[in-house]
C-alpha cells in the first residue's frame, strides 16, 4: 500500500511538471477608425474602416516542451472586420475559419519545421523590412501597388536557427488555394528569405515564385473567362538602420508575371520619434506594364504601360502599452494604364491608384 502511494505521488509530481511545461495563450487586437477616400473616377466616401494600419484579429497559440531542447507549437488566427463583425483576411479558397493563420510547428536547436496556412514571405510584417507597412487596407501597404501573394495554404516551411543575426526561411506551398487536384494541376508556391537582425541594422531579401498551374483567383475568387497562366516571380529587398531618433528605410520590388504585371517599385521611408510618438513618412514609385488579357486592346485599353508615385505621412501615438492613436494621409498618382482604368473596376475603387486616403483611428492589442 505504501509503495502504491509512493508511486502515485511520484507520478503526480512528474505530471505536474509536464503540465507546467505546456501552455495556451489567447491574444489579439482590434483596429478601427474613420476613413475618407476619393479617386479620380468616383466621389469621396466616408466610412468606418477596420485593419487600416493594424490588425483586427484573435488567436490561440500553444506550446509544449518535448524535452532535449525540442518543442511543439500551434497558432490559430482569425481575422475579422471590427466595423461589422464579419470574417476578415480571406484569400484564395479560405474565407472562413482561421483566415489569418493555422499552423503546427516543431522547433529546436536545429531550427523550425512548420506546416499549414501562413503569410507569404513578402506579406509577413514580422519578417520584412524597409517600408512602413506590409499588410492592411491602407494604400500605404507595400502590396497595394506592387505584388504580393497574401496568405498561402498547404505550406511546409523550414527556418534555420539565428546565427550572428542571420536567418534563412524556406517555404513550399502545395496549393495556393487547395491541393486536391493532381500535382500538375495545383498552383504551387516556392519562396526563400534571407534576413539579418542586428542592434541597429535590419535587412531582408526574399524570392517568391508561383507557377499558377491550377485555377486562377481574382477578386471574385475565380476567373471563368480569363486564365492567368505562367510563372510569376517576385523579389523584394528591404533595409533599415535605427540611428536613434530616426530610422531611414529603403525597399525595392521586382515583379514579373507572364500575361500579368511586370514592374519595378522603389520606396524611401523613415520613422521619426517625436512628441512621445512616431512620425511615419515615405515616398515610392512604380513603373512597368500589365500584359494580362484584362488590359488587352481587345478589352478597350490603348496601352499596357503603367506607372504611379505615392506620398505617405502618418503619426502614431501610444496612450498605453497596448493602445495607439493613429492618423494617416496617403496620396497616389497613377498614370497611363492605371489612369485609364474605369471607375467600375473593383481594383480601382479598392486601391485607388489615382486618389487619396485620410484616416484617424485607434488600435488595441490584448
Amino acid at each position: 500500500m505504501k509503495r502504491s502511494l509512493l508511486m502515485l505521488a511520484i507520478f503526480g509530481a512528474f505530471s505536474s511538471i509536464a503540465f507546467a511545461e505546456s501552455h495556451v495563450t489567447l491574444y489579439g487586437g482590434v483596429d478601427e477608425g474613420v476613413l475618407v477616400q476619393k479617386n479620380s473616377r468616383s466621389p469621396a466616401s466616408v466610412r468606418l474602416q477596420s485593419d487600416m494600419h493594424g490588425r483586427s484579429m484573435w488567436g490561440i497559440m500553444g506550446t509544449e516542451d518535448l524535452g532535449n531542447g525540442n518543442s511543439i507549437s500551434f497558432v490559430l488566427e482569425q481575422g475579422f472586420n471590427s466595423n461589422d463583425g464579419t470574417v476578415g483576411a480571406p484569400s484564395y479558397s479560405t474565407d472562413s475559419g482561421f483566415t489569418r493563420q493555422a499552423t503546427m510547428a516543431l522547433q529546436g536547436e536545429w531550427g523550425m519545421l512548420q506546416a499549414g496556412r501562413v503569410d507569404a514571405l513578402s506579406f509577413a510584417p514580422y519578417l520584412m523590412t524597409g517600408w512602413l507597412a506590409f499588410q492592411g487596407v491602407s494604400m500605404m501597404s507595400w502590396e497595394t501597388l506592387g505584388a504580393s501573394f497574401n496568405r498561402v495554404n498547404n505550406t511546409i516551411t523550414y527556418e534555420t536557427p539565428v546565427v550572428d543575426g542571420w536567418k534563412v526561411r524556406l517555404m513550399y506551398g502545395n496549393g495556393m488555394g487547395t491541393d486536391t487536384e493532381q500535382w500538375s494541376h495545383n498552383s504551387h508556391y516556392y519562396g526563400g528569405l534571407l534576413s539579418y537582425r542586428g542592434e541597429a541594422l535590419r535587412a531582408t531579401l526574399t524570392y517568391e515564385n508561383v507557377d499558377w498551374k491550377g485555377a486562377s483567383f481574382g477578386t471574385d475568387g475565380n476567373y471563368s473567362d480569363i486564365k492567368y497562366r505562367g510563372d510569376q516571380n517576385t523579389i523584394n529587398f528591404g533595409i533599415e538602420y535605427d540611428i536613434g531618433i530616426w530610422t531611414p528605410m529603403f525597399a525595392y520590388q521586382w515583379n514579373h508575371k507572364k500575361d500579368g504585371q511586370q514592374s519595378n517599385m522603389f520606396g524611401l521611408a523613415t520613422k521619426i520619434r517625436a512628441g512621445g510618438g512616431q512620425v511615419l513618412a515615405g515616398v515610392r514609385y512604380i513603373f512597368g506594364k500589365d500584359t494580362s488579357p484584362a488590359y488587352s486592346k481587345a478589352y478597350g485599353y490603348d496601352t499596357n504601360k503603367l506607372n504611379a508615385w505615392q506620398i505617405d505621412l502618418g503619426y502614431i501615438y501610444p496612450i498605453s502599452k497596448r493602445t495607439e492613436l493613429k492618423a494617416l494621409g496617403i496620396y497616389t498618382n497613377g498614370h497611363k494604364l492605371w489612369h485609364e482604368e474605369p471607375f467600375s473596376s473593383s481594383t480601382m475603387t479598392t486601391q485607388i491608384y489615382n486618389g487619396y486616403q485620410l484616416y484617424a483611428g485607434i488600435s488595441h492589442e490584448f
Side-chain angles (χ1 to χ4, degrees):
M1 183 65 177
K2 290 182 178 180
R3 181 178 298 176
S4 298
L5 291 173
L6 178 62
M7 293 301 293
L8 183 60
I10 293 173
F11 178 76
F14 277 102
S15 297
S16 297
I17 293 173
F19 282 117
E21 291 172 345
S22 62
H23 65 275
V24 175
T25 302
L26 173 67
Y27 64 97
V30 182
D31 183 80
E32 185 70 275
V34 177
L35 171 65
V36 179
Q37 72 174 22
K38 187 185 186 306
N39 64 47
S40 61
R41 302 283 181 156
S42 63
S45 65
V46 181
R47 65 172 185 258
L48 287 178
Q49 181 64 59
S50 176
D51 267 4
M52 183 69 175
H53 189 264
R55 55 180 190 171
S56 292
M57 50 78 68
W58 69 274
I60 306 171
M61 65 171 62
T63 304
E64 182 180 10
D65 190 346
L66 301 177
N68 298 317
N70 299 308
S71 63
I72 187 169
S73 65
F74 71 89
V75 177
L76 302 173
E77 284 187 4
Q78 182 185 64
F80 62 87
N81 297 307
S82 56
N83 55 301
D84 58 14
T86 56
V87 174
S91 64
Y92 305 112
S93 62
T94 302
D95 56 8
S96 62
F98 295 105
T99 52
R100 288 179 59 93
Q101 191 172 177
T103 63
M104 179 169 283
L106 288 169
Q107 52 264 328
E109 296 181 355
W110 46 270
M112 179 191 70
L113 187 64
Q114 181 186 61
R117 174 177 170 83
V118 295
D119 290 338
L121 295 178
S122 60
F123 191 65
Y126 52 89
L127 295 174
M128 298 299 292
T129 60
W131 187 245
L132 303 171
F134 290 91
Q135 291 184 14
V137 179
S138 165
M139 287 195 299
M140 182 185 292
S141 177
W142 186 246
E143 62 158 342
T144 305
L145 296 179
S148 171
F149 300 107
N150 206 285
R151 295 176 176 92
V152 185
N153 294 336
N154 311 300
T155 67
I156 297 176
T157 302
Y158 171 71
E159 186 175 284
T160 66
V162 178
V163 179
D164 295 330
W166 293 93
K167 179 176 68 176
V168 173
R169 187 179 179 100
L170 303 173
M171 185 187 300
Y172 166 71
N174 196 51
M176 294 288 286
T178 64
D179 61 354
T180 55
E181 302 294 332
Q182 67 184 68
W183 189 87
S184 60
H185 290 175
N186 293 325
S187 295
H188 307 101
Y189 173 95
Y190 307 88
L193 173 145
L194 174 65
S195 69
Y196 175 78
R197 299 290 189 276
E199 291 185 5
L201 179 67
R202 302 171 72 238
T204 308
L205 176 66
T206 66
Y207 168 74
E208 297 167 289
N209 167 273
V210 175
D211 56 23
W212 297 117
K213 290 183 176 180
S216 297
F217 301 92
T219 55
D220 60 353
N222 182 36
Y223 284 109
S224 58
D225 60 335
I226 300 174
K227 296 296 182 181
Y228 291 96
R229 302 283 182 163
D231 282 16
Q232 180 175 357
N233 295 278
T234 304
I235 295 174
N236 283 277
F237 171 73
I239 188 169
E240 56 191 65
Y241 192 86
D242 187 351
I243 296 176
I245 192 173
W246 69 296
T247 302
M249 314 166 78
F250 170 78
Y252 167 75
Q253 181 186 91
W254 173 83
N255 177 67
H256 186 281
K257 181 179 182 180
K258 182 181 179 182
D259 293 333
Q261 185 171 318
Q262 300 163 19
S263 57
N264 291 272
M265 182 166 64
F266 300 85
L268 287 173
T270 186
K271 297 178 181 179
I272 305 172
R273 297 181 181 92
Q278 190 176 67
V279 176
L280 309 178
V283 295
R284 60 172 161 165
Y285 179 72
I286 184 171
F287 66 92
K289 60 183 179 179
D290 195 326
T291 60
S292 62
Y295 294 127
S296 68
K297 292 184 178 181
Y299 284 78
Y301 293 90
D302 295 327
T303 180
N304 60 20
K305 294 182 179 180
L306 58 87
N307 66 64
W309 54 269
Q310 183 183 94
I311 299 176
D312 308 272
L313 187 64
Y315 186 70
I316 299 175
Y317 183 80
I319 58 176
S320 73
K321 293 179 65 174
R322 297 178 178 271
T323 305
E324 296 178 329
L325 299 176
K326 300 180 179 182
L328 304 174
I330 305 113
Y331 175 76
T332 302
N333 192 303
H335 296 274
K336 298 184 178 179
L337 178 63
W338 285 345
H339 181 73
E340 295 180 4
E341 192 171 0
F343 71 91
S344 60
S345 165
S346 59
T347 300
M348 184 64 157
T349 55
T350 300
Q351 299 182 340
I352 44 180
Y353 291 156
N354 215 328
Y356 67 84
Q357 289 182 324
L358 299 174
Y359 172 83
I362 186 171
S363 63
H364 173 76
E365 294 187 353
F366 59 87

